[in-house]
Amino acid sequence: SDILDPEKTYACSFGEGIKHIHFMIIPRMPDMPFGAELLKQVIEERKWECSREKAADVAIKVHDYLESVFG
């Protein structure tokens, strides 16, 4: 939460059909809806998607943060 500074962070896990699991970490920013409506918009409507470049930038920041905390 130090990287994006969301109002809330949701952690979801899904495992349907074939035995596998997906984890989604969804930062809820101030302009996003709450709960089920947010999930619908993220999964079905892809409303809050970001570019690959933005995702890569955030991934690097998360990596650097974890490296500084855990060495």
Side-chain angles (χ1 to χ4, degrees):
S1 68
D2 290 340
I3 296 167
L4 296 175
D5 197 30
E7 289 194 356
K8 183 97 174 158
T9 301
Y10 296 104
C12 310
S13 64
F14 300 93
E16 302 280 337
I18 299 171
K19 292 183 181 183
H20 71 290
I21 192 163
H22 292 272
F23 288 99
M24 295 177 70
I25 307 298
I26 305 170
R28 183 174 56 75
M29 307 310 281
D31 59 337
M32 297 169 88
F34 290 76
E37 182 60 28
L38 172 63
L39 238 102
K40 178 181 182 282
Q41 289 181 4
V42 167
I43 294 170
E44 292 178 12
E45 300 171 17
R46 297 182 155 322
K47 182 173 182 175
W48 303 103
E49 270 188 341
C50 66
S51 69
R52 288 181 184 254
E53 293 80 14
K54 176 67 175 172
D57 180 54
V58 170
I60 290 167
K61 289 177 181 174
V62 169
H63 174 271
D64 292 346
Y65 174 78
L66 292 174
E67 186 78 18
S68 72
V69 172
F70 298 108

